[in-house]
Amino acid sequence: MKKILALLLVALMIVGMTACGGADKKDPTTASTEAPTTAPTTKPSESQPSESQPSESQPAESQPAESQPSESQPAESQPSESQPAESLPPVSANTEKPAKNPNADALPLTIKVWTPAEDQAVDNNWLETMQAQFDAAHPEYNITWINESVSEGDAASMVTTDVSAAADIYMFANDQLGGLITAGGLAKQGGIYLDQIKNDNSQFMINTVTHTDGAQYAFPVTNNTWFLYYNKDVFTEEDVKSLDTMITKGKVCIPITTGWNAGCFFLGCGGTIFGEAGNDASVGIQFGEDHGGYKAAKKMIELVGNSNIVAGGMDTGRLIEGEVAAVFSGSWSAAELRENLGDKLGVAALPTFTVDGETYNMTAMSGSKCVGVNPTSGSVKGKQKACTQFAAFLASADAQLARYAMRGVIPAHKDLISAVANDPVAMAEINTINNSAVIQSALPQMGKYWSPVENFGKSVANGEINMGNYMDMVDQMNNQLNAEGL
Amino acid sequence: MAKKNSVGSLKAKRYTMDVIVHTFLIIIAIIWISPFAYLVAHSFRGGGNTTMYYSKFFPETFTFKHYQDLFTDKGLLDFPQMFMNTLKIACISCVISTFFVLSVSFAMSRLKWKLRRPYMNMAMVITLFPGFMSMTATYFLLKAFFGLDEHPERIHMALVICYCSGAGTGFYVMKGYMDTIPKALDEAAYLDGATKWQTFIKITLPLCKPMIVYQVITSFMGPWCDFIFCKLICRGSQDYYTVSVGLWSMLDMDKIDKWYTRFCAGSVMVAIPISILFIITQKFYQEAMSGSVKG
């Protein structure tokens, strides 16, 4: 009896383990097995192509075949997977916000939007302002908006958990692009929308939303990089052009202990991450000797040995406390720093540094934050077109300018540079991207980048890597960066 | 002489031993308490620096401002609402899961039925797997049952179900305690004509009081501190956030410079209900932990 029981328990445990272990992978399949049950009503595969026809009618000739977003998905299971959740609900939620648009012919739609919470602050609601404008400009729709807050950094994990329940339009940081496309959560842009992306943005910004297949998948709305904040009492505008001049006059906190920043010297000396456009996996990450790796490491060790250098992260607190006279951080720190330092706060693009008599620019890994459309919105006729229109509207010059006015988010639109020319933070960010920036790659292989580089920076900061062993350590890091597998 | 000497050395030995042990304990205590001390101190940090970095362990000036901001500046994150959400969920889950645990323990301890032992073993095996292993499946099940996409107002109900439905498997400690209550008491009650329900309510429960307190505390703290399921089920619906998800989003890169001190204040606030509950029930808690009641 006991033996049988024990056997049973073991069997149960094995079953339990396989069931639980497989749970995560199973989800797409369980979701797609649901599809056939709802299929008769929604016609999963045919509905998409026929559905993109109406959108061709308006933008006319420039709309090529690739504007059918669902077609672009790599995994076959995705189109059918997108059906179940969206097929029944959208109309039922209409009670939440009564539609303002009395047009009888208007197409009723429910559109869910994810933006950072800051865009929806109660007294300063950029998103609702934009939605009101969009509603006014598009009487053909009767849209019920569902606005939820998901930060740009968090979007990919939220979308990929359950693509069909994710927002129809969402904002995300461009390094998530590859993962989102693989999960079938991002629609390819074409036609007038593609024209908008290409006309409104610099080549750098276009590259940030370009996948390995060469197509563009999202609308950039703002830059994402870091630059220099300094105390004007200590440094002059001339000083902050060179890091070596700066450390003769005051203390500087260099961010070499965080993965996002730690590569700045390597990138400055000629290191590359997956080629020029950041999407060529075969090239790999090149931080070795032949790409200036030794020089960069030498400079880092030299700097850490200097008494005017504090090795840390993006520690804006150090500047506020007056412990250092310059820190590196992104535009999100501007408001706090300005509040504390007032007129003394100076902002500049990343400075240069000199190694072995040669001068290089500190180089930031940069990207964009962009707005994308979820292809599962195609399950309701006409919805995907409306979603894409709204996404394009959020990325338009007017919307970016409004966001800048309301929240201080620096626009990415290339024609808006003149509008922000008086804002030192904006100019520092734009100059950093123009002069010295490397695209933050969206390739999945990018996952290998963070810890070796961060560990290298930390080891330099605590003295484990020194003049005696840096060559070996650079070689070791470079091997780790390009190691096969994970 | 020699005798006296040895006694003296023994005393000295004990004395030095005490010193060593106590120094060690003091060091451990300081290490253990310092994060909390840091958290509390920085929730009152004065001056303009609200970022994560601060040059000293203890702030130089103190202010109540961060608490004030946390409860009044509700434009971006509505902390009072999150607090009430969590309190609601935790209280409801606490009542339901305590009842579940008591009922299951009673059935296991007092009723004789065929599958009792196999069931107990099965429950043991199931509880060996941490709950979050099945979280993705749980999410899809709850989504299918409640249509959480279209009905975000059901999120809290889904969370309560999430926390309570598995509570019954955590009966082991409670059953052990009930086993120590003499069966004779039950039999006497049955002889007097009590039903099983009456025996459960009128005989067993009053005797289990200390243990119920322990159960209440643990079933309150689970939902109160849970992050994984809240994050998974709330997703973007900020109105339904619980404190753990809210506090986590304060550490977002865009917010951390401004919100870090408020995050500290919020973390201190989170500790308050648990502390109150613990202080109130401390007397019973000690009783429960100090051994069984012999009939």
Side-chain angles (χ1 to χ4, degrees), chain A residues 98-238:
Chain A
K100 305 136 208 162
N101 204 328
N103 188 347
D105 301 332
L107 179 66
L109 291 171
T110 302
I111 295 179
K112 198 199 257 187
V113 188
W114 282 353
T115 68
E118 286 87 344
D119 286 329
Q120 301 168 32
V122 173
D123 43 356
N124 193 20
N125 199 324
W126 172 72
L127 183 61
E128 275 184 15
T129 315
M130 290 302 111
Q131 286 167 341
Q133 287 180 14
F134 184 79
D135 283 338
H138 291 272
E140 72 270 28
Y141 301 126
N142 179 5
I143 300 174
T144 307
W145 299 101
I146 298 176
N147 299 335
E148 295 185 342
S149 49
V150 171
S151 73
E152 287 129 335
D154 208 17
S157 65
M158 299 282 273
V159 170
T160 49
T161 313
D162 185 1
V163 175
S164 64
D168 302 303
I169 299 163
Y170 55 88
M171 291 196 171
F172 62 98
N174 81 298
D175 59 309
Q176 303 162 4
L177 194 81
L180 284 166
I181 294 169
T182 314
L186 207 52
K188 191 192 280 188
Q189 299 304 333
I192 51 163
Y193 309 112
L194 185 62
D195 293 344
Q196 181 185 334
I197 295 171
K198 288 193 167 163
N199 294 334
D200 287 0
N201 295 288
S202 63
Q203 189 56 43
F204 186 88
M205 280 293 135
I206 298 171
N207 284 346
T208 62
V209 293
T210 307
H211 192 46
T212 43
D213 59 2
Q216 282 73 36
Y217 283 83
F219 302 87
V221 287
T222 183
N223 313 307
N224 188 18
T225 190
W226 51 281
F227 38 88
L228 180 73
Y229 290 97
Y230 64 97
N231 188 333
K232 280 185 180 167
D233 289 352
V234 181
F235 302 117
T236 64
E237 267 181 49
E238 205 49 44

Side-chain angles (χ1 to χ4, degrees), chain B residues 175-225:
Chain B
K175 181 202 169 275
Y177 189 85
M178 281 187 184
D179 283 344
T180 64
I181 302 171
K183 300 236 163 47
L185 289 173
D186 292 28
E187 281 155 12
Y190 290 136
L191 276 179
D192 287 344
T195 60
K196 291 209 165 87
W197 172 251
Q198 281 170 327
T199 317
F200 174 57
I201 292 293
K202 297 202 167 138
I203 309 290
T204 316
L205 284 196
L207 286 170
C208 285
K209 216 183 262 165
M211 207 54 206
I212 293 174
V213 166
Y214 162 77
Q215 192 58 49
V216 165
I217 291 177
T218 48
S219 354
F220 182 83
M221 272 174 70
W224 182 261
C225 300

Side-chain angles (χ1 to χ4, degrees), chain A residues 27 89 149 162 321 323 333, chain B residues 53 55 136 139 143 150 238 257:
Chain A
D27 293 322
S149 49
D162 185 1
E321 303 250 314
E323 195 177 302
S333 299
Chain B
Y53 180 81
S55 50
T136 319
Y139 166 75
K143 189 183 131 187
E150 298 78 42
Q238 207 173 326
D257 280 356

Side-chain angles (χ1 to χ4, degrees), chain A residues 223 225-230 237 331 334 338 346-350 404 408-411 413-436:
Chain A
N223 313 307
T225 190
W226 51 281
F227 38 88
L228 180 73
Y229 290 97
Y230 64 97
E237 267 181 49
S331 54
R338 202 175 284 139
V347 195
L350 293 181
Y404 175 68
V409 175
I410 296 152
H413 199 294
K414 67 179 175 192
D415 298 342
L416 291 179
I417 293 179
S418 55
V420 297
N422 292 330
D423 183 344
V425 176
M427 288 324 286
E429 180 168 294
I430 291 165
N431 286 337
T432 299
I433 289 193
N434 289 345
N435 303 340
S436 57

